[in-house]
Amino acid sequence: TPISLLLEKGSATSANKFLEDMFSGRVFDNPKPVELIRYLLEISTGNEAIILDFFAGTGTTGHAILDLNGSPDSHRKFIICTNDDELDHNGGKKKHKICSDVCYPRIKKVIKGYNSFVGLGGNLKYYKTSFVKNSISRDDLKMRITRECTEMLCLREGIFDEVKAKPDYHIFEQNDRIMGVYYSMERDSLAQLKKELNKM
């Protein structure tokens, strides 16, 4: 049964100190403590869970999961999303963009290590989203959406290494798994894609 009073699971002060050490200065006013998020994830998710955090902020959730994965039984994965708004803190003396200046670099440093902190290992993919403008031609719109969604397909399938990139198709491979994404409404290049896939 989880305890109801969490007195020794970090504090805003300890979380601020951690980030200040990592970034050599203040970057955010109210980060959550890694210890708290780690504890909550440990009691509420299984070892194979995929955790989604749509309001990632400084990336504490991702950091806590990497920390949890230090134990041999934990193989949790995470998808964290945040905007790139400018943070106004310290009375407006310094501004940081939450995603590109804090969240992404933090997860990267936690994985690879920095100063005397030994990296926890893992891997990281960073994606930016944008809108696909509408088009009069439905076929053109479908092709543009497919191109824009290729990285999400890679994420969905867990296949990231691009091995062939042609104007009408791209081929990806990961651990003996292969994925081809075809972008054309015409069938001209489809035979070539099939031939490439058969070779693999």
Side-chain angles (χ1 to χ4, degrees), residues 4 10 34-36 52 132 142 152 154 170 178 195:
S4 57
V34 173
E35 302 87 348
L36 173 64
L52 172 64
V132 177
K142 286 176 188 174
M152 285 195 285
C154 290
H170 287 195
I178 299 166
K195 197 184 291 183

Short mmCIF file of all heavy atoms in Angstrom, two decimals, residues 4 10 34-36 52 132 142 152 154 170 178 195:
data_model
loop_
_atom_site.label_atom_id
_atom_site.label_comp_id
_atom_site.label_asym_id
_atom_site.label_seq_id
_atom_site.Cartn_x
_atom_site.Cartn_y
_atom_site.Cartn_z
N SER A 4 0.81 7.62 2.36
CA SER A 4 0.02 8.80 1.99
C SER A 4 0.72 10.11 2.30
O SER A 4 0.30 11.17 1.88
CB SER A 4 -1.34 8.77 2.71
OG SER A 4 -1.15 8.70 4.10
N GLY A 10 12.16 14.22 -2.07
CA GLY A 10 12.64 15.44 -2.71
C GLY A 10 11.75 16.63 -2.42
O GLY A 10 10.72 16.52 -1.78
N VAL A 34 12.87 14.68 -8.93
CA VAL A 34 12.97 13.37 -9.60
C VAL A 34 12.55 12.25 -8.67
O VAL A 34 11.85 11.32 -9.07
CB VAL A 34 14.42 13.12 -10.10
CG1 VAL A 34 14.58 11.72 -10.64
CG2 VAL A 34 14.81 14.13 -11.16
N GLU A 35 12.93 12.35 -7.39
CA GLU A 35 12.62 11.29 -6.43
C GLU A 35 11.10 11.07 -6.31
O GLU A 35 10.65 9.93 -6.22
CB GLU A 35 13.18 11.63 -5.03
CG GLU A 35 14.68 11.85 -4.98
CD GLU A 35 15.10 13.29 -5.28
OE1 GLU A 35 14.27 14.11 -5.75
OE2 GLU A 35 16.28 13.60 -5.05
N LEU A 36 10.35 12.15 -6.31
CA LEU A 36 8.90 12.06 -6.18
C LEU A 36 8.29 11.39 -7.41
O LEU A 36 7.50 10.44 -7.29
CB LEU A 36 8.28 13.45 -5.99
CG LEU A 36 6.75 13.50 -6.02
CD1 LEU A 36 6.16 12.72 -4.85
CD2 LEU A 36 6.26 14.95 -6.02
N LEU A 52 3.43 8.43 -21.05
CA LEU A 52 3.24 9.61 -21.88
C LEU A 52 3.01 10.82 -20.98
O LEU A 52 2.14 10.80 -20.11
CB LEU A 52 2.03 9.41 -22.80
CG LEU A 52 1.56 10.62 -23.61
CD1 LEU A 52 2.63 11.06 -24.60
CD2 LEU A 52 0.27 10.27 -24.36
N VAL A 132 0.29 20.86 -41.23
CA VAL A 132 0.36 20.63 -42.68
C VAL A 132 -0.78 21.44 -43.28
O VAL A 132 -1.95 21.24 -42.94
CB VAL A 132 0.18 19.12 -43.01
CG1 VAL A 132 0.18 18.90 -44.51
CG2 VAL A 132 1.28 18.31 -42.35
N LYS A 142 -2.64 14.03 -48.87
CA LYS A 142 -2.30 12.71 -48.31
C LYS A 142 -0.80 12.45 -48.38
O LYS A 142 -0.20 11.94 -47.43
CB LYS A 142 -3.04 11.61 -49.07
CG LYS A 142 -4.52 11.52 -48.76
CD LYS A 142 -5.18 10.47 -49.62
CE LYS A 142 -6.68 10.51 -49.48
NZ LYS A 142 -7.35 9.60 -50.40
N MET A 152 6.79 9.69 -37.05
CA MET A 152 5.83 9.11 -36.09
C MET A 152 5.61 7.63 -36.39
O MET A 152 5.45 6.82 -35.48
CB MET A 152 4.51 9.87 -36.11
CG MET A 152 4.62 11.20 -35.40
SD MET A 152 3.03 11.94 -35.01
CE MET A 152 2.53 12.52 -36.61
N CYS A 154 7.93 5.70 -37.63
CA CYS A 154 9.15 5.08 -37.09
C CYS A 154 9.02 4.89 -35.59
O CYS A 154 9.36 3.83 -35.06
CB CYS A 154 10.36 5.96 -37.39
SG CYS A 154 10.83 6.02 -39.12
N HIS A 170 11.02 5.80 -48.62
CA HIS A 170 12.13 5.67 -47.68
C HIS A 170 12.03 4.28 -47.05
O HIS A 170 10.93 3.77 -46.83
CB HIS A 170 12.06 6.72 -46.58
CG HIS A 170 12.42 8.10 -47.03
ND1 HIS A 170 12.71 9.10 -46.15
CD2 HIS A 170 12.54 8.65 -48.26
CE1 HIS A 170 12.98 10.21 -46.81
NE2 HIS A 170 12.87 9.96 -48.09
N ILE A 178 12.01 -4.36 -40.82
CA ILE A 178 12.12 -3.43 -41.94
C ILE A 178 10.77 -2.73 -42.15
O ILE A 178 9.71 -3.35 -42.01
CB ILE A 178 12.50 -4.18 -43.24
CG1 ILE A 178 13.87 -4.86 -43.05
CG2 ILE A 178 12.54 -3.25 -44.44
CD1 ILE A 178 14.19 -5.88 -44.12
N LYS A 195 11.31 -4.38 -54.93
CA LYS A 195 12.57 -5.03 -55.24
C LYS A 195 13.59 -4.81 -54.11
O LYS A 195 14.28 -5.72 -53.66
CB LYS A 195 13.12 -4.47 -56.56
CG LYS A 195 14.20 -5.34 -57.19
CD LYS A 195 14.77 -4.69 -58.44
CE LYS A 195 13.72 -4.67 -59.57
NZ LYS A 195 14.28 -4.11 -60.82
#
